[in-house]
Amino acid sequence: MVQIVFYLFVLFTLGSALTVLLTKNVLYAAFFLLLTLLGVAGLFVLAGADFLAVSQIMIYVGGVLVLIIFGVMLTHKNQSQQTEYTQPNYILTQHRSWLWALLVAGGIFSVLYTALVRGDYVLLQQGASTYRPTVDTIGRQLMTEYLVPFEIAGVLLLVALIGATTIASSSRNK
């Protein structure tokens, strides 16, 4: 039963991702991206990575995608700005060869495949009795082993936020 649900999530995620690529309407692409991200969160749940699933939904679906949808819905072109060459999601590039894209994709695939085949999966070799929820494990590690890097990242993000606010307010005052 779990395999059937897994394959349904895979089909759902791949189908909505292909629709994102093939649709000509940006708003529809954003909505199908929402479905793609929800499908990935479902795959995370099936993989036992509940923290990643919740983070996926909270950060990407709740924040980034809503921002994209608002940006698409609030920006519109006047009819006078559109020309006969305006087509939705049409980007003309100078390079038309698929060879380079295929070589890069094949190289990335071979590197990832090699990493997967040669990987040492310690957690798979352990029994199910040692399973702890990922939120518990991440919380314990963040507050013990990785406390100093966690605090440094927090201070760095705070400094970046203060800097961005200062730059934005100084440019507004001019």
Side-chain angles (χ1 to χ4, degrees):
M1 184 65 182
V2 175
Q3 284 184 336
I4 294 172
V5 173
F6 172 77
Y7 286 122
L8 287 175
F9 268 112
V10 167
L11 287 174
F12 177 74
T13 304
L14 289 178
S16 57
L18 282 173
T19 308
V20 168
L21 292 174
L22 299 176
T23 187
K24 292 186 183 279
N25 190 332
V26 178
L27 187 61
Y28 291 162
F31 285 133
F32 279 106
L33 182 62
L34 169 99
L35 295 177
T36 303
L37 294 174
L38 287 175
V40 170
L43 290 172
F44 283 149
V45 168
L46 288 174
D50 48 351
F51 181 76
L52 282 178
V54 171
S55 299
Q56 173 91 7
I57 292 172
M58 297 284 289
I59 295 169
Y60 289 111
V61 175
V64 174
L65 193 64
V66 169
L67 183 67
I68 290 172
I69 290 174
F70 277 134
V72 167
M73 291 176 72
L74 293 176
T75 56
H76 63 280
K77 288 184 177 181
N78 295 335
Q79 292 294 334
S80 62
Q81 292 177 345
Q82 294 180 352
T83 63
E84 62 184 86
Y85 300 109
T86 303
Q87 295 179 355
N89 290 351
Y90 183 73
I91 299 171
L92 183 64
T93 58
Q94 297 295 327
H95 196 354
R96 298 276 185 211
S97 175
W98 285 74
L99 177 67
W100 290 108
L102 199 60
L103 286 175
V104 169
I108 291 173
F109 176 77
S110 64
V111 167
L112 289 175
Y113 181 75
T114 305
L116 283 173
V117 169
R118 294 184 182 172
D120 184 25
Y121 302 104
V122 178
L123 291 177
L124 291 177
Q125 296 169 358
Q126 295 176 354
S129 63
T130 61
Y131 174 74
R132 284 197 327 217
T134 55
V135 176
D136 180 49
T137 306
I138 291 172
R140 287 183 192 276
Q141 287 184 343
L142 278 179
M143 294 300 140
T144 55
E145 293 178 48
Y146 300 108
L147 182 63
V148 174
F150 183 65
E151 293 293 331
I152 290 172
V155 169
L156 183 66
L157 288 172
L158 178 65
V159 168
L161 182 65
I162 292 171
T165 306
T166 305
I167 290 172
S169 67
S170 68
S171 67
R172 187 182 301 174
N173 292 335
K174 289 182 179 181

